[in-house]
């Protein structure tokens, strides 16, 4: 209950009096509502607990103190301090008894409120109230003015409660004067200390509020003076922003109506500024001192609305809100630009605190007041008060974000391909930013960098030879043919050749038919000649369906799963490719294939097709128009090859820094990261550049200069918070800029392996937060991985309070970004993503297209969540998810195995299983975490592509044989795949 303003009481009293015929119905106000013109960007500030109200700003506008019913075991209000900068909420009262009416000292260091915690019966009253609520009977009115209420103050940082009043009677509704010298409050103490007539005694038993009057005392509780002595309830007093006036509401002696009054701080010059003959209460000065906002039930007993009136009460009050249900207890922010109030415009109809922007100019126009001009605005506060915001430099700032993005996405960075000079430059920039912030290096050998090796490129060895029987010309290396980077090495026996169209096998998808280039074609121990890419002339949806199955690595896996000996890839004359032969590039995830694979020129392909009486241009033309062609043999053509490839290793590097909670590194840390690498000038198989954009720099502003820029701003902000003593973390925060993400989560995977080689990193890593593409905020932020821990929903809700983003959440923790490397190691993960767009993975992803104000919001939210997790006592719980169909490549399949494959293994030894779903088909068949699948359905499995493809060929309910490596032994298993829901 809102004791200060007696909201429930007023309603109850009014209802009682109405029933007794003591009141005439109020005239409904003629005032038109101006809500939309006066208050905008309305949002709910508190959510927790049964209800909340009486929110009051600190003098610097950075905090709000309020009361809320949210303590388990205590049905009454307790007092909470909400930091508007961080979203932190801390209880100020001690949890016992009833509290109400808080206020923040002008220097921000103390909070005062009224409390009954010293009442020996406080806990018994809590219990009784809980029982009454459970039984559904009404609350006991008599407790509203509990005479054991006294005023206390407590340090905002936490500490002992200091008692400021000790008279018998209800002492509450207190607030400090703007200079902190005095406390203005309300009390009915004289009814308990002075002799009462029999009539007065009878009133006291019925209505203690009748005796309420205004008092003032020195800030230490001394020198108490009574300011009013009229019969009836005087209460809810506040000073004006400059301390020259006070405002309060005065009930008529019968308690039926109340009006708004102002007076000098000593109580002289009291006058009513409303004459509404309704219950008008909860007044608060605008900081300009020119007008007062208050609540009134002019429109019906239960329907309190906000109104405002000029300070002199010269004109009629003007209506502010027009929402159904309760609106009351309004206050202005110290700068006058915002309004906070309690409103029942909530989903459950219970009041909570709301915040909105306030249109002062419109308010003045409606009230007939002159423009305030800048001079009368309270922007110029006394010099002794702290500034409203931390210094701009340390705050998360749109201009700083833009600066970081413009550096990282500059042409000199050349698209930041892992292991390239551009990646070295970009990572050096990140390291120097970390160093400038004074963060502790957390990379190799006491530095900021953490290096990792990967197979960056392949070169032709000396021993490459292609022999084709049945074709006149002898193929020349690099003119007529070239091995694919994903090819097996060594020599093959001569074998027959079959043509299999585009070599694509794709399952149906919704209305789309399955696509199968092979059909009944027998390719066992043969070479398969196929076309590169996918059919040109088919519709957009069909292309979308086939796209993921058209990668060469996937086509190779398809051929190999059908027992082919080798793959021959021709580009075909209809395709718009610069290079007739496939460039020699290394694809990490396809390493270790046991299939010989090479690219041949259109001329050489034509020479092989000639014997079958076919022409490559005609075949391609037919396929491109959507025709399905039967595959066929190429009579008389036999191919043998010797393939010699030399893999070259290169180094990439992560950048790692630590914000230490204490002197040494903590046992548990929160990691927040973003990948810094991108596609260079268009990584084969990843770039979505248009033909005319091929080979241009892929700037990667959104993907993922945006995430790294946010990371740097978050690091700066948190380091500053800690330096200012605004934050005492319990565990370190590790800031990570990953390389190698685009080529297979290499950097983050290397980190998770280097950090600890155990099965789980949790709770050594309490949680991992990731940002991948946060620069294109449109209307909603997408937060992924929310199902990985029960902590996320509440953290997101709480920390979004000061940020105010519109958010959609996604539970799945299997994502095509670095978060997955952590999730697979048992760490709760959360990824921020502002959504896909047409410039993704093209040279058009540039810095000028980002929404930097949106990025600021995303970064603030992620910073506050990081801060909160680093402050919490315990690491958040981890939730294991059913991985079925969760991986980026497995969404299409309808077959359910219940395995979590390890997407990062690159050594060609098989597909490692990093987890199995409990009670899933794989688990039932005996497959275990850590097994390496080397054979499935009779086909050898060299890598994740093979495994992924083999899964597509399985049938629901038909048992399949697997061979796995477990502790060096080959183990045979039988698994019966289930159906996905
Ligand atoms: Zn990315």
């Amino acid at each position: 209950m809102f004791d200060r303003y007696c909201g429930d009481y007023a309603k109850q009293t009014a209802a009682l009096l109405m029933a007794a015929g003591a009141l005439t119905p109020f005239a409904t106000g003629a005032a038109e509502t101006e809500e939309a013109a006066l208050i905008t960007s309305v949002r709910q500030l508190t959510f927790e607990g049964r209800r909340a109200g009486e929110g009051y700003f600190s003098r610097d506008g950075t905090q709000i103190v309020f009361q809320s019913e949210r303590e388990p075991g205590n049905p009454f209000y307790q007092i909470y301090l909400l930091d508007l900068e961080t979203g932190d909420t801390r209880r100020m009262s001690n949890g016992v008894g009833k509290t109400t009416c808080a206020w923040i000292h002008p220097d921000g260091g103390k909070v005062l409120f009224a409390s009954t915690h010293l009442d020996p019966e406080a806990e018994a009253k809590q219990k009784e109230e809980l029982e009454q609520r459970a039984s559904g009977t009404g609350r006991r009115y008599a407790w509203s003015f509990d005479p054991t209420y006294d005023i206390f103050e407590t340090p905002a940082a936490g500490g002992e409660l200091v008692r400021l009043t000790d008279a018998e009677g209800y002492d509450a509704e207190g607030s400090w004067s703007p200079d902190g010298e005095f406390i203005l409050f309300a009390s009915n103490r004289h009814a308990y200390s002075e002799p009462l007539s029999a009539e007065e005694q009878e009133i006291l038993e019925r209505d203690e509020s009748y005796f309420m009057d205004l008092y003032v005392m020195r800030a230490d509780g001394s020198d108490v003076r009574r300011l009013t002595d009229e019969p009836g309830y005087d209460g809810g007093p506040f000073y004006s922003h400059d301390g020259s006036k006070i405002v309060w509401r005065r009930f008529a002696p019968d308690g039926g109506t109340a009006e708004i009054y102002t007076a000098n701080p000593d109580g002289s010059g009291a006058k009513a500024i409303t004459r509404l003959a309704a219950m008008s209460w909860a007044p608060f000065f605008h900081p300009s001192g020119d007008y007062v906002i208050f609540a009134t039930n002019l429109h019906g007993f239960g329907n309190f609305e906000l109104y405002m009136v000029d300070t002199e009460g010269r004109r009629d009050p003007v209506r502010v809100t027009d929402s159904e249900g309760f609106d009351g207890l309004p206050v202005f922010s110290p700068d006058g630009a915002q309004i906070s109030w309690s409103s029942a415009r909530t989903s459950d109809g219970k009041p909570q605190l709301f915040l909105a922007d306030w249109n002062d100019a419109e308010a003045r126009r409606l009230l007939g007041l002159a423009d305030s001009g800048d001079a009368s605005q309270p922007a110029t506060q006394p010099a002794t008060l702290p500034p409203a915001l931390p210094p701009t430099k340390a705050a998360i700032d749109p201009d700083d974000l833009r600066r970081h993005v413009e550096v990282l996405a500059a042409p000199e960075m050349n698209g930041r391909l892992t292991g390239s000079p551009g990646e070295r430059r970009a990572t050096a920039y990140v390291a120097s930013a970390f160093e400038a912030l004074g963060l502790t290096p957390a990379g190799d050998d006491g530095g900021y960098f953490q290096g990792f090796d990967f197979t960056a490129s392949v070169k032709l060895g000396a021993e490459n030879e292609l022999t084709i029987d049945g074709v006149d010309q002898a193929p020349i290396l690099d003119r007529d043919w070239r091995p694919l980077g994903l090819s097996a090495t060594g020599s093959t026996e001569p074998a027959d050749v079959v043509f299999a169209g585009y070599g694509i096998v794709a399952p149906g998808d919704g209305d789309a038919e399955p696509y199968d280039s092979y059909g009944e074609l027998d390719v066992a121990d043969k070479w398969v000649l196929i076309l590169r890419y996918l059919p040109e002339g088919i519709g957009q949806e069909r292309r979308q369906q086939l796209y993921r199955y058209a990668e060469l690595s996937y086509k190779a896996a398809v051929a190999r799963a059908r027992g082919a000996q080798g793959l021959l890839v021709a580009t075909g004359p209809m395709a718009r490719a610069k290079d007739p032969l496939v460039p020699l590039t290394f694809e990490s995830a396809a390493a270790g294939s046991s299939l010989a694979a090479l690219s041949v020129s259109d001329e050489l392909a034509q020479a092989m097709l000639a014997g079958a009486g076919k022409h490559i241009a005609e075949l391609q033309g037919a396929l491109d128009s959507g025709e399905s062609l039967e595959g066929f043999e190429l009579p008389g053509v036999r191919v043998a090859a010797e393939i010699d490839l030399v893999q070259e290793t290169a180094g990439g590097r992560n950048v790692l820094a630590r914000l230490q909670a204490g002197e040494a590194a903590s046992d548990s840390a929160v990691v927040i990261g973003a990948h810094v690498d991108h596609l260079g000038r268009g990584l084969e198989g990843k770039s979505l550049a248009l033909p005319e954009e091929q080979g241009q720099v892929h700037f990667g502003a959104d993907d993922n200069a945006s995430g790294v820029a946010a990371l740097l701003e978050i690091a700066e902000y948190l380091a500053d918070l800690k330096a200012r003593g605004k934050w005492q973390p319990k565990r370190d925060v590790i800031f990570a800029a990953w390389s190698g993400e685009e080529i297979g989560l290499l950097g983050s995977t290397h980190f998770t392996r280097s950090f600890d080689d155990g099965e789980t990193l949790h709770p050594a890593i309490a949680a991992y937060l990731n940002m991948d593409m946060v620069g294109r905020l449109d209307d909603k932020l997408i937060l992924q991985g929310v199902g990985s821990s029960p902590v996320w929903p509440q953290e997101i809700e709480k920390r979004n309070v000061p940020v105010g983003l519109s958010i959609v959440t996604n539970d799945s923790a299997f994502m095509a970004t670095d978060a997955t490397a952590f999730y697979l190691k048992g760490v709760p993960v959360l990824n921020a993503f502002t959504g896909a767009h047409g410039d993704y993975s093209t040279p058009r992803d540039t810095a000028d297209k980002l929404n930097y104000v949106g990025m600021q919001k995303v970064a603030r939210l992620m910073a506050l969540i990081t801060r909160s997790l680093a402050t919490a006592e315990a690491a958040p719980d981890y939730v294991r998810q059913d991985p079925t169909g969760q991986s980026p490549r497995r969404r299409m399949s309808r077959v359910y195995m219940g395995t979590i494959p390890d997407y990062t293994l690159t050594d060609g030894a098989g597909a490692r299983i990093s987890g199995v779903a409990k009670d899933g088909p794989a688990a039932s068949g005996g497959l275990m975490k850590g097994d390496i699948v080397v054979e499935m359905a009779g086909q050898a499995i060299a890598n994740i592509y093979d495994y992924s493809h083999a899964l597509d060929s399985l049938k629901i309910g038909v048992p399949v044989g697997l061979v796995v490596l477990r502790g060096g032994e080959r183990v045979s298993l039988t698994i019966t795949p289930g159906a996905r829901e």
Side-chain angles (χ1 to χ4, degrees), residues 149-358:
Y149 266 114
D150 276 309
I151 295 174
F152 296 82
E153 69 172 33
T154 183
E160 289 296 298
L161 295 179
V162 178
R163 188 174 185 174
L164 299 174
T165 64
D166 59 4
E168 189 184 359
Y170 175 84
D171 294 315
E173 307 177 5
S175 61
W176 274 292
S177 56
D179 60 8
E181 296 279 314
F182 298 96
I183 294 172
L184 184 62
F185 67 106
S187 175
N188 58 6
R189 51 176 65 200
H190 66 275
Y192 296 86
S193 59
E194 292 168 11
L196 297 180
S197 67
E199 193 192 344
E200 285 172 330
Q201 190 60 47
E202 194 259 315
I203 293 174
L204 180 63
E205 271 150 38
R206 195 180 67 231
D207 176 11
E208 304 97 319
S209 76
Y210 174 89
F211 300 94
M212 292 292 290
D213 276 307
L214 304 190
Y215 288 79
V216 68
M217 62 185 177
R218 294 210 160 270
D220 61 2
S222 66
D223 196 13
V224 179
R225 280 169 286 157
R226 185 170 170 183
L227 301 182
T228 62
D229 58 4
E230 295 289 316
Y233 187 176
D234 288 287
F238 291 109
Y239 288 98
S240 61
H241 195 80
D242 64 0
S244 65
K245 288 274 181 191
I246 61 171
V247 66
W248 78 101
R249 57 92 172 72
R250 170 172 288 172
F251 271 83
D254 68 4
T257 59
E259 303 291 354
I260 307 303
Y261 277 70
T262 61
N264 298 318
D266 63 1
S268 66
K271 70 170 184 183
I273 62 170
T274 63
R275 289 161 296 275
L276 292 170
M279 240 170 257
S280 299
W281 55 293
F284 197 91
F285 273 110
H286 185 264
S288 63
D290 294 343
Y291 55 96
V292 168
I293 193 161
F294 62 99
T296 180
N297 68 351
L298 196 56
H299 297 276
F301 299 116
N303 185 23
F304 281 89
E305 299 292 352
L306 303 187
Y307 268 68
M308 58 184 176
V309 64
D310 62 275
T311 302
E312 298 303 319
R314 285 195 203 96
R315 297 200 184 202
D316 285 341
V318 173
R319 185 170 181 175
V320 173
T321 60
D322 69 349
S323 279
E324 211 26 60
F326 180 85
D327 286 285
L329 303 149
V331 297
F332 291 108
S333 59
D335 64 1
Q338 287 188 304
I339 176 175
S340 175
W341 76 108
S342 308
S343 176
R345 55 182 78 194
T346 52
S347 54
D348 65 356
K350 299 269 196 234
Q352 295 283 354
L353 279 190
F354 279 72
L355 184 69
D357 293 339
W358 177 253

Side-chain angles (χ1 to χ4, degrees), residues 675 677-678 702-704 741-742 771-773 816-818 840:
H675 75 85
D677 68 304
H678 193 51
D702 185 28
D703 188 11
N704 185 32
E741 192 270 354
E742 303 279 15
M771 294 170 289
D772 192 354
M773 299 173 68
T817 185
D818 294 301
Y840 170 66

Side-chain angles (χ1 to χ4, degrees), residues 109-156:
K110 290 188 289 192
V111 167
L112 70 72
F113 54 91
S115 174
T116 69
H117 67 278
L118 296 180
D119 177 6
E121 289 180 58
E123 300 200 30
K125 288 175 179 174
Q126 290 173 205
K127 201 163 156 261
E128 192 180 335
E129 175 73 13
L130 282 173
E131 281 162 5
Q132 278 195 338
R133 284 190 193 179
S135 73
T137 57
R139 43 196 296 129
R140 274 190 60 187
Y141 158 67
W143 288 358
S144 302
F145 294 87
D146 194 321
T148 68
Y149 266 114
D150 276 309
I151 295 174
F152 296 82
E153 69 172 33
T154 183

